[in-house]
Amino acid sequence: MGEKPNQANPNSASAIAAAPAGSKSSDLLSRHFSIRSLKLKTKEQELLLRVTVLCLVYVLAFITRLFSVLRYESMIHEFDPYFNYRTTLFLTEKGFYEFWNWFDSESWYPLGRIIGGTLYPGLMVTAALIYWTLKVLRFAVHIREVCVLTAPFFASNTTLVAYFFGKEIWDSGAGLVAAALIAICPGYISRSVAGSYDNEGVAIFALLFTFYLFVKAVNTGSLAWSLASAFGYFYMVSAWGGYVFIINLIPLYVLVLLITGRYSMRLYVAYNCMYILGMLLAMQIRFVGFQHVQSGEHMAAMGVFFLLQVFYFLDWVKHQLNDTKLFQAFLRITVTSAVVVGTVALGVGTASGYISPWTGRFYSLLDPTYAKDHIPIIASVSEHQPTAWSSFMFDFQILLFLFPAGLYFCFKRLTDATIFIVMYGLTSMYFAGVMVRLILVATPAVCLISAIAVSATIKNLTQVLRAKPKIVHSGFSKGGSSAKTSSKGSLDQSQPFGKNGAIALLFGAFYLLSKYATHCTWVTSEAYSSPSIVLAARGAHGNRVIFDDYREAYFWLRQNTPPDAKVMSWWDYGYQITAMGNRTVIVDNNTWNNTHIATVGRAMSSYEDEAYEIMVSLDVGYVLVVFGGVTGYSSDDINKFLWMVRIGGGVFPVIKEPDYLVNGDYRVDKGAAPKMLNCLMYKLSYYRFGELTTEYGKPPGYDRARGVEIGNKDIKLEYLEEAFTTSNWIVRIYKVKPPKNRW
Amino acid sequence: MARSTGDDAITLFHSLRSAYTATPKNLKIIDLYVAFAVSTALIQVAYMAMVGSFPFNSFLSGVLSSVGTAVLAVCLRIQVNKENKEFKDLTPERAYADFILCNLVLHLVIMNFLG
């Protein structure tokens, strides 16, 4: 009995290990050395398999994120990462003390920004630590390379954490599948490709790590694990504003456990230690400050903390008394007083304004229509829109239907850990439905729960296969989970299908999983690997054409303008201008001051003379606009213009949106509204465009992004002059003329 | 109604007292420490009510250090209590070491936060 599994396993072990390292094992085999001759026991073979699979998954998670580095170059993508890069550069050059107390006068002119107190330092400190470690080891890399590759590195680490988490919830087979699924899941890749140097790259690792440590603490009841989870929570708070999810999910989980009667002493130890130490550590981050005791979003944790004290105190008294009648009396007195005190405190706190209500960012998650009516800046970001089904399918594919299957398995075997993952999955899926960006937070839960479904199903199927002593190879299945199932001697009579059915289903499972892998790689390659700052298109002959206009413009700014020049542009480009152009900007992506942004929006939407007054009052030297009419680039300022009008109009009622529309339509051609045809944004975008022929067969002045011929071709600028237009007309820079002399 | 509640309260008090005297001595020491820590927290809150809460970080660190060490002591008591079946594999030395470690971290953070 013991002989056959040993003989079967080495074959599957060598089969699976041979596939990716084919040449190596054939070399070994040719030298008459095989795994079989190592005479490993089953446990050691399992360990070898697991370690091999984990190593492969680790490497896979890293390399699948490198598409853009291979296609373009190692550069930072998008907008926000440029700010993170600039701050990391500052940290490595000036040291931590300067970084922590940094006041930046190069953005939000003339207000400046207290960077030290308004950022989440986790990402920058992590990258700086990696950089300094490499320097100590005498690897002289540039900090930019470290920044570009931080996110893939942490994605690999996330797969490891997913393995341990899966092992904690279900078993090591589920852990392996979870690690493999999350390594390539597009929902996670979208924010963690190489070059996407943003908070989420590190934050998802911190999130999953904190959850794993907390579940481990609840399972073991050890103070050491709770301390570790408090540190995990501290890392999460330092990395991302989404830590609010943790500080609300964990109290909710504790509440659910209390209500369903599954509480135990371990829960008390785990939650209390984590809450107190986690809260104290979190308050060390200046940006978070005292929010843990003052903000409405964190009150749930405090409420559950006090509830736990009361609950366990009552439990202890009940245990001491051993007499129900007396206990009832005690219960009456205590509960009424506790509830009264609690409600009074909460009421006084909220009414007096001491406990601040939920901020708009998080309130719009509970009430999705809130942002559109009250906070246009939040509503204007495309990532904050509600999610369409196609996005779910695009980002998850087969995980979408494996998720309910996994929920079924979790409900079949309810433990503290599975209750947690079910709650995490359901709440994160709700929020993912409200906002596209939050698919990222749901991805680890979906991968873990789907992994449970995959692992449990394949385990059942292979048990059917291995039921008879004549063992059929089930080495096709992914993750090697079959090799870990011990061969059960008896066939479970309740299985509705025989061996052939099991083989067919295993083939089906393998087919689905391979389709998932293909889809993920395709999505990564096509959709999520574009740097956004460099655009690519196919030329007429199928060759690749690269538009590097953004960097061309920023470097023109850097080299051809006075060092103290101020640049006005829409807030999207602020971070990039400061990081690459090294010039002071008026507004940037931090969007902390709505009135300032509205001022810029008002300037862009006004006639040239009114705009000139605003620009002179802000000391603006140069204006930068992004224009896609020549290349057909659709994310340009004319397409964003209505948001400028809305945001400007939200603060200055003189800007009215209907003035720019014709019968509710937004047009730039001859039939456009007169205010639209003469506003500053229109003039700056289409200056000299009327003479340009963009497409064969179309009249001059044909806007390829909007697909119409523009209305006002004869544009004259009185207060600005054109300073620079990039080679494909994507970025246009204008110089503000000084005021005329008065005679 | 009030009389029966009053009577109830007295009998409650007596039975609690008699049940409590039966607890082992090491647990009573921990309970004394918890009572001390909580009373320290209450004194600090009363002081804050009198003189105002500036600087807030100092007030928070003071209160949270008292509450934190009280909570950690309660966790220690839970882990050391022989009646808790879940922790019978945990040696009291390990529980005490965890308690010391958590208190160390707590007080280091408090020192940073005191300002």
Side-chain angles (χ1 to χ4, degrees):
Chain A
M1 184 60 187
E3 195 56 33
K4 290 198 180 111
N6 266 337
Q7 287 203 331
N9 278 328
N11 282 337
S12 54
S14 57
I16 294 179
S23 57
K24 187 167 178 239
S25 62
S26 61
D27 275 335
L28 294 174
L29 284 171
S30 65
R31 277 185 260 134
H32 303 293
F33 176 79
S34 75
I35 311 250
R36 202 180 307 182
S37 72
L38 279 177
K39 288 199 177 41
L40 293 171
K41 296 198 282 291
T42 318
K43 264 217 164 359
E44 290 169 5
Q45 284 171 352
E46 282 183 37
L47 183 64
L48 177 69
L49 257 183
R50 262 187 277 152
V51 169
T52 318
V53 170
L54 273 179
C55 286
L56 288 172
V57 165
Y58 192 90
V59 172
L60 175 68
F62 191 86
I63 61 179
T64 189
R65 289 164 163 81
L66 294 181
F67 275 104
S68 69
V69 173
L70 294 170
R71 285 180 185 160
Y72 302 98
E73 59 181 275
S74 159
M75 67 176 142
I76 313 269
H77 297 183
E78 302 244 330
F79 302 111
D80 280 0
Y82 274 98
F83 171 71
N84 299 330
Y85 173 60
R86 181 169 160 247
T87 48
T88 316
L89 201 56
F90 189 86
L91 172 61
T92 53
E93 284 170 3
K94 302 273 191 346
F96 187 72
Y97 192 72
E98 289 294 321
F99 169 76
W100 201 235
N101 293 301
W102 186 14
F103 177 80
D104 182 36
S105 46
E106 274 193 34
S107 52
W108 296 91
Y109 185 85
L111 306 164
R113 179 184 168 184
I114 310 171
I115 292 196
T118 56
L119 59 48
Y120 287 105
L123 176 69
M124 299 85 183
V125 171
T126 312
L129 278 176
I130 298 177
Y131 171 71
W132 284 325
T133 315
L134 288 175
K135 254 177 85 166
V136 161
L137 295 173
R138 300 290 179 261
F139 284 108
V141 294
H142 192 266
I143 181 69
R144 195 192 63 242
E145 314 294 344
V146 174
C147 292
V148 164
L149 294 174
T150 297
F153 174 58
F154 273 89
S156 301
N157 295 341
T158 309
T159 61
L160 285 183
V161 177
Y163 164 69
F164 285 111
F165 202 179
K167 197 162 132 181
E168 191 69 26
I169 299 176
W170 200 257
D171 63 16
S172 58
L176 280 178
V177 179
L181 288 178
I182 202 171
I184 53 177
C185 189
Y188 184 24
I189 289 189
S190 62
R191 304 292 297 201
S192 66
V193 281
S196 173
Y197 182 55
D198 209 353
N199 297 36
E200 288 94 343
V202 172
I204 296 298
F205 166 75
L207 180 89
L208 204 58
F209 196 46
T210 310
F211 282 151
Y212 163 64
L213 290 171
F214 183 69
V215 169
K216 192 88 183 164
V218 171
N219 274 344
T220 57
S222 140
L223 267 178
W225 282 107
S226 317
L227 179 67
S229 75
F231 273 112
Y233 177 63
F234 170 57
Y235 187 44
M236 179 69 189
V237 170
S238 74
W240 195 33
Y243 73 88
V244 175
F245 181 63
I246 300 188
I247 202 65
N248 280 309
L249 180 64
I250 289 187
L252 193 65
Y253 167 65
V254 169
L255 205 59
V256 163
L257 283 185
L258 285 181
I259 293 175
T260 55
R262 288 179 178 271
Y263 58 90
S264 61
M265 290 296 161
R266 295 172 281 121
L267 179 68
Y268 182 86
V269 172
Y271 181 69
N272 277 312
C273 177
M274 192 250 185
Y275 177 62
I276 293 288
L277 284 170
M279 175 165 78
L280 259 176
L281 283 168
M283 291 203 276
Q284 308 308 305
I285 309 286
R286 280 170 67 191
F287 195 25
V288 171
F290 301 128
Q291 277 182 14
H292 275 74
V293 292
Q294 283 178 340
S295 155
E297 296 142 11
H298 304 77
M299 285 299 117
M302 190 183 282
V304 167
F305 174 69
F306 285 120
L307 181 70
L308 259 188
Q309 309 306 320
V310 170
F311 200 87
Y312 277 82
F313 180 64
L314 289 176
D315 208 42
W316 177 68
V317 167
K318 184 159 140 189
H319 178 76
Q320 294 278 67
L321 281 181
N322 284 331
D323 179 351
T324 40
K325 257 211 327 235
L326 273 178
F327 179 63
Q328 298 294 348
F330 180 71
L331 196 60
R332 248 199 336 256
I333 305 172
T334 330
V335 170
T336 34
S337 50
V339 166
V340 162
V341 166
T343 355
V344 164
L346 193 64
V348 164
T350 322
S352 69
Y354 186 74
I355 297 181
S356 56
W358 282 57
T359 55
R361 259 178 75 200
F362 297 111
Y363 190 73
S364 60
L365 289 176
L366 298 177
D367 176 12
T369 58
Y370 179 75
K372 189 124 213 281
D373 299 328
H374 296 105
I375 320 174
I377 284 196
I378 295 183
S380 71
V381 181
S382 68
E383 298 170 315
H384 291 178
Q385 305 308 316
T387 324
W389 264 111
S390 54
S391 296
F392 275 114
M393 195 59 189
F394 199 62
D395 281 341
F396 288 138
Q397 219 219 4
I398 63 165
L399 301 186
L400 264 188
F401 61 79
L402 286 178
F403 180 70
L407 282 180
Y408 162 73
F409 280 107
C410 286
F411 275 107
K412 257 178 66 169
R413 195 211 287 188
L414 274 182
T415 62
D416 289 347
T418 47
I419 292 183
F420 180 81
I421 198 67
V422 164
M423 289 191 60
Y424 175 26
L426 291 175
T427 48
S428 61
M429 278 306 256
Y430 166 72
F431 289 123
V434 174
M435 210 187 252
V436 174
R437 190 177 180 188
L438 296 179
I439 285 190
L440 174 72
V441 175
T443 303
V446 169
C447 285
L448 277 164
I449 296 183
S450 312
I452 292 177
V454 170
S455 174
T457 315
I458 291 189
K459 206 173 200 173
N460 288 341
L461 291 175
T462 51
Q463 271 177 10
V464 170
L465 281 181
R466 301 183 83 150
K468 303 283 179 53
K470 211 180 304 176
I471 292 164
V472 179
H473 267 316
S474 47
F476 311 109
S477 55
K478 195 164 149 79
S481 55
S482 59
K484 271 168 295 309
T485 58
S486 53
S487 54
K488 295 261 162 89
S490 64
L491 173 63
D492 189 353
Q493 290 305 320
S494 68
Q495 298 286 4
F497 36 77
K499 293 254 287 284
N500 291 329
I503 295 180
L505 282 171
L506 272 177
F507 263 114
F510 175 63
Y511 171 73
L512 274 180
L513 288 169
S514 63
K515 270 278 167 261
Y516 171 71
T518 324
H519 169 86
C520 292
T521 318
W522 176 83
V523 164
T524 312
S525 163
E526 291 301 313
Y528 289 139
S529 297
S530 91
S532 299
I533 192 167
V534 168
L535 311 163
R538 291 266 159 219
H541 304 285
N543 56 320
R544 203 166 60 136
V545 177
I546 305 254
F547 300 119
D548 208 1
D549 288 43
Y550 280 103
R551 295 197 291 177
E552 191 185 336
Y554 299 139
F555 276 93
W556 184 90
L557 266 182
R558 195 188 186 110
Q559 291 163 346
N560 293 292
T561 56
D564 61 350
K566 296 31 164 209
V567 180
M568 181 173 94
S569 69
W570 193 232
W571 58 262
D572 289 12
Y573 317 108
Y575 280 155
Q576 287 180 339
I577 296 176
T578 332
M580 279 192 276
N582 203 24
R583 292 288 176 268
T584 310
V585 289
I586 307 290
V587 288
D588 69 16
N589 309 55
N590 192 28
T591 66
W592 67 271
N593 190 333
N594 193 32
T595 313
H596 219 51
I597 296 183
T599 314
V600 171
R602 180 184 174 188
M604 294 294 194
S605 350
S606 316
Y607 294 120
E608 198 184 344
D609 38 8
E610 300 161 0
Y612 183 67
E613 278 174 27
I614 300 176
M615 289 193 283
V616 164
S617 77
L618 286 174
D619 284 348
V620 174
Y622 292 85
V623 181
L624 186 146
V625 294
V626 169
F627 173 58
V630 174
T631 48
Y633 177 55
S634 57
S635 305
D636 63 352
D637 280 356
I638 290 283
N639 277 346
K640 293 180 195 165
F641 182 62
L642 273 185
W643 284 109
M644 299 187 200
V645 169
R646 285 180 195 134
I647 295 174
V651 177
F652 302 103
V654 65
I655 308 283
K656 300 186 205 39
E657 192 181 339
D659 286 347
Y660 300 86
L661 304 171
V662 175
N663 293 332
D665 276 339
Y666 180 58
R667 296 167 67 170
V668 294
D669 55 1
K670 272 209 167 25
K675 182 127 196 207
M676 179 72 206
L677 288 176
N678 288 302
C679 68
L680 184 70
M681 176 54 70
Y682 189 95
K683 282 187 164 180
L684 295 182
S685 294
Y686 292 120
Y687 183 65
R688 288 194 306 115
F689 184 65
E691 309 142 14
L692 192 69
T693 311
T694 52
E695 216 172 285
Y696 177 72
K698 294 279 193 304
Y702 180 74
D703 182 346
R704 288 177 72 186
R706 259 68 50 185
V708 294
E709 185 187 347
I710 61 170
N712 184 0
K713 293 190 192 174
D714 186 25
I715 296 177
K716 301 249 185 315
L717 290 174
E718 193 184 336
Y719 297 99
L720 296 122
E721 58 185 7
E722 187 180 2
F724 183 68
T725 301
T726 56
S727 40
N728 296 300
W729 286 56
I730 292 187
V731 183
R732 312 195 64 183
I733 304 179
Y734 294 84
K735 185 171 149 86
V736 177
K737 291 194 212 166
K740 292 205 203 16
N741 293 327
R742 282 182 294 179
W743 298 105
Chain B
M1 190 59 199
R3 162 152 292 192
S4 70
T5 318
D7 285 342
D8 269 342
I10 295 177
T11 33
L12 196 68
F13 181 65
H14 283 305
S15 58
L16 268 178
R17 199 177 184 190
S18 55
Y20 187 66
T21 47
T23 55
K25 191 163 169 201
N26 56 348
L27 294 184
K28 279 201 210 160
I29 295 177
I30 299 180
D31 289 340
L32 198 61
Y33 179 70
V34 172
F36 160 71
V38 171
S39 62
T40 321
L42 289 173
I43 293 174
Q44 287 180 24
V45 172
Y47 180 70
M48 187 271 292
M50 282 196 293
V51 299
S53 70
F54 182 79
F56 195 56
N57 54 319
S58 311
F59 163 66
L60 263 185
S61 61
V63 169
L64 280 177
S65 75
S66 316
V67 170
T69 187
V71 157
L72 286 173
V74 173
C75 293
L76 173 68
R77 186 191 200 276
I78 289 174
Q79 288 183 335
V80 159
N81 197 351
K82 303 261 185 312
E83 293 172 14
N84 282 332
K85 296 290 173 287
E86 288 169 324
F87 289 107
K88 62 176 165 56
D89 292 329
L90 194 67
T91 58
E93 286 80 16
R94 168 71 198 267
Y96 188 61
D98 282 344
F99 170 72
I100 295 291
L101 176 68
C102 289
N103 262 314
L104 184 69
V105 171
L106 175 78
H107 287 100
L108 279 175
V109 181
I110 294 289
M111 299 283 273
N112 184 37
F113 199 40
L114 264 177

